[in-house]
Amino acid sequence: MTGIIALYIFMLAAFTGYEVIAKVPEILHTPLMSGSNFVHGIVLVGAMVALGHAVTPLEKSIGFIGVLLAAGNAVGGYAVTERMLEMFTSSGPRKTQGEK
Amino acid sequence: MDVSLLIDGSYFVTAFLFIMGLKRMSSPKTARSGILWAGAGMVLATLVSFLYPGMSNYELIIAAIVVGSAVAWWSGRRVAMTNMPQMIALYNGMGGGAAAAIAAVELYRVAGEGGNGPGAAVLSLAAVGGMIGAVSFSGSLIAFGKLQGLIKRSLRFPGQQFTNILLLLATLAAGVLLVSGVGMTPAVVTALFLVALLLGVAMTLPIGGADMPVVISLYNALTGLAVAFEGFVLGNAAMIIAGTVVGSAGTLLTQLMAKAMNRSLGNVLFSGFGESAGAAATGAVAGSMKPIEAADVGVMMAFSQKVIVIPGYGLAVAQAQHKVWELCQLLINAGVQVKFAIHPVAGRMPGHMNVLLAEAGVPYELIADLDEINAEFESADVALVIGANDVVNPVARNDKSSPIYGMPILNADKAKNVIVIKRGQGAGFSGIENALFYLDNTRMLYGDGQAAVNQLIHAVKEATG
């Protein structure tokens, strides 16, 4: 990927992020912050590649921590976002759910 | 089939799924499916990344993924809804730490090979991304500690801003040494990350708990940016797109939050809350607070046309949201129109209160935000304020000397009757006297949120009996 193409991707993605969120109602702000927190969990693929190419023990240790943290970001972000959004599925009062 | 084409194609699909997922999360009806779309994208991207050419250490990769995922899944499923903000801070910090780790691996490798390798542009992005990631990592951990109550005090000392600026300059200097090739040594790489970690701690420690949501949102945006920068370094389009989308969306979200709290971002970051408020807290308000009994409130509400409930964080602390919904269902069955008015910063983050109400089973059609509901207060018979304080203080509208002047508030004072459920007399966390409590149409119902609402439920049952 050439530098200038990467720059175009950067610009277009920045506008996309702005536009996608600009239409979000307030009630979804917290789930959305959590959802976007999950999306940057994609750092996992970068951490995997970094660890996969690590050679020295130092590189391997840091890479291992990187993958560990990235997996936590992705999976934890998914778990809490899904839990929050679960509550928006039905509009009626859900008596089956009961009290927690 | 060509492996690199398969990987690039899968990343393309992942980017599409992420953007569609975020888009679907922007409406309550499709929000649930949004996270499923994004989740599918994440699984796809992770699986194809095992096929990357020239990889080794597979056992380490799998072990790290299994351990990290298991711990995060376990903690994410069992955290209480009220503790959600600090959990997001924690997971966000992990992402920042991962971005910093990628940068560290790259920089240590280049330093170990005596500076041979990628050009200055890639090195700069690696260093800046790593620095931002490290700040986001340590800063988010401090934010988590503060909201979780592990760190009680806000550390402030003279010359703090100066120290922070020095730390920032020191990390930048380390970055310049690395990129220019003058000091491309492992020691300088270590220094860059240590100072950046310290900067994240020093930046976050002085910020009060009330401002933490804005800070978490900022770190969320910063982590996105760090991920995008490391995406440039690795030539990984999925990371560039996802990171940048989060970076810009998170920045917008941060601005919205700061605006709702009537604080500029600079104000949040560079001055501790409470310092400006202290002066005005002395401003006395004329009149007196007038108490009322639960039985009277029950009758008043049961025979109203329209009741607007204004929940605040105090409601969540008292775990009274289920009881409030029980109360409202009684009223609805008695023919009363009930609505919930949510201030943008009710709870601890925008939308946090909505989540807590949704958890209790309140349908989102009954939940209105500030712009929708403010015109309706004049036609409301009762405004019931539970655990909210500053967000209903009319001085924000009419007292220019007040520190919260200009903050958008819910116009509860316009309702025919205002009932405030409050633990005792005294000001809110900002220390500002609430003029609403002294108005002629306001009555105070003293007591613990949960107990007071229980009394109201009995009162309404008897009144409608």
Side-chain angles (χ1 to χ4, degrees):
Chain A
M1 192 173 5
T2 61
I4 193 71
I5 298 288
L7 215 57
Y8 273 114
I9 295 178
F10 185 72
M11 178 188 74
L12 293 173
F15 278 111
T16 306
Y18 196 91
E19 285 300 318
V20 164
I21 260 203
K23 299 184 187 83
V24 170
E26 237 152 42
I27 63 161
L28 284 170
H29 275 181
T30 291
L32 196 84
M33 176 154 133
S34 179
S36 60
N37 175 43
F38 163 69
V39 165
H40 68 50
I42 191 68
V43 70
L44 176 59
V45 304
M48 286 169 68
V49 172
L51 176 55
H53 292 143
V55 182
T56 66
L58 177 69
E59 288 169 17
K60 281 186 192 174
S61 322
I62 299 173
F64 183 81
I65 294 170
V67 175
L68 193 78
L69 292 175
N73 180 184
V75 173
Y78 184 88
V80 295
T81 310
E82 210 234 351
R83 266 183 68 193
M84 279 191 259
L85 290 178
E86 223 167 46
M87 297 161 189
F88 289 95
T89 41
S90 76
S91 57
R94 295 165 307 143
K95 282 166 189 142
T96 50
Q97 200 75 1
E99 286 174 40
K100 280 185 190 164
Chain B
M1 191 168 141
D2 191 356
V3 174
S4 69
L5 186 67
L6 176 66
I7 293 173
D8 287 341
S10 302
Y11 283 172
F12 180 83
V13 174
T14 295
F16 171 78
L17 288 172
F18 279 171
I19 293 169
M20 279 305 288
L22 283 174
K23 173 90 189 137
R24 292 182 77 83
M25 275 187 236
S26 69
S27 158
K29 290 197 172 62
T30 55
R32 174 82 199 284
S33 67
I35 185 67
L36 295 177
W37 284 54
M42 190 70 78
V43 171
L44 176 67
T46 309
L47 288 180
V48 298
S49 296
F50 279 105
L51 303 176
Y52 238 80
M55 296 246 291
S56 53
N57 303 329
Y58 284 110
E59 66 289 348
L60 284 178
I61 296 177
I62 292 171
I65 290 179
V66 168
V67 174
S69 304
V71 173
W73 184 259
W74 176 78
S75 60
R77 295 313 290 187
R78 64 187 293 275
V79 60
M81 277 294 158
T82 36
N83 292 338
M84 216 43 107
Q86 53 264 49
M87 224 49 208
I88 297 174
L90 188 61
Y91 297 137
N92 174 58
M94 294 170 100
I102 295 171
V105 171
E106 292 297 316
L107 290 172
Y108 276 121
R109 176 175 29 239
V110 177
E113 289 165 1
N116 296 321
V122 169
L123 280 182
S124 316
L125 286 169
V128 173
M131 186 188 121
I132 297 174
V135 168
S136 174
F137 173 67
S138 60
S140 295
L141 289 187
I142 298 293
F144 168 80
K146 285 207 158 194
L147 288 180
Q148 191 71 20
L150 302 174
I151 304 169
K152 293 263 159 47
R153 290 184 312 126
S154 295
L155 177 81
R156 298 201 190 96
F157 56 86
Q160 196 157 27
Q161 301 310 331
F162 185 66
T163 313
N164 288 356
I165 290 169
L166 275 187
L167 286 172
L168 178 65
L169 290 178
T171 49
L172 290 177
V176 170
L177 276 179
L178 289 175
V179 174
S180 65
V182 177
M184 193 36 146
T185 62
V188 178
V189 177
T190 308
L192 172 86
F193 285 104
L194 284 184
V195 181
L197 288 172
L198 202 59
L199 176 63
V201 173
M203 263 174 67
T204 320
L205 270 181
I207 300 170
D211 282 335
M212 229 23 111
V214 180
V215 176
I216 295 171
S217 177
L218 179 70
Y219 285 142
N220 186 38
L222 284 179
T223 302
L225 207 58
V227 171
F229 283 1
E230 299 314 321
F232 280 113
V233 174
L234 299 172
N236 186 319
M239 281 171 72
I240 300 177
I241 294 172
T244 310
V245 165
V246 173
S248 73
T251 307
L252 177 62
L253 201 54
T254 311
Q255 283 170 347
L256 290 175
M257 282 192 209
K259 200 174 143 207
M261 297 168 85
N262 196 35
R263 317 252 286 133
S264 75
L265 196 52
N267 207 335
V268 168
L269 290 177
F270 302 121
S271 74
F273 195 78
E275 288 164 342
S276 56
T282 52
V285 183
S288 61
M289 297 194 204
K290 295 163 280 289
I292 191 169
E293 294 299 319
D296 299 331
V297 180
V299 174
M300 185 196 282
M301 290 201 300
F303 295 98
S304 294
Q305 296 275 315
K306 186 173 180 179
V307 172
I308 299 179
V309 181
I310 303 170
Y313 191 64
L315 168 100
V317 171
Q319 290 290 326
Q321 59 268 41
H322 298 279
K323 287 287 168 199
V324 169
W325 175 228
E326 194 183 329
L327 172 69
C328 291
Q329 280 172 306
L330 284 175
L331 292 172
I332 291 168
N333 291 339
V336 183
Q337 194 193 352
V338 178
K339 280 198 172 175
F340 288 85
I342 311 287
H343 191 272
V345 293
R348 278 188 161 172
M349 292 195 293
H352 190 199
M353 185 54 68
N354 306 79
V355 172
L356 295 173
L357 290 178
E359 187 193 20
V362 179
Y364 55 75
E365 290 90 341
L366 295 188
I367 301 175
D369 64 23
L370 189 126
D371 295 330
E372 292 166 0
I373 200 82
N374 256 350
E376 292 192 30
F377 278 105
E378 284 177 37
S379 63
D381 300 292
V382 178
L384 181 65
V385 181
I386 310 174
N389 193 338
D390 292 332
V391 298
V392 288
N393 193 342
V395 300
R397 260 199 334 256
N398 47 34
D399 180 2
K400 282 208 169 81
S401 67
S402 171
I404 60 168
Y405 178 74
M407 179 172 91
I409 58 157
L410 291 163
N411 296 331
D413 54 315
K414 301 268 172 78
K416 290 190 193 76
N417 298 285
V418 182
I419 304 296
V420 179
I421 298 181
K422 206 166 175 301
R423 194 175 278 276
Q425 301 181 354
F429 78 64
S430 65
I432 303 163
E433 281 289 355
N434 195 331
L436 176 73
F437 301 167
Y438 297 89
L439 292 178
D440 289 335
N441 55 342
T442 302
R443 293 293 178 274
M444 309 296 290
L445 181 58
Y446 293 114
D448 169 72
Q450 177 118 2
V453 174
N454 259 332
Q455 289 170 1
L456 286 183
I457 290 173
H458 285 297
V460 170
K461 270 183 187 159
E462 277 181 20
T464 56

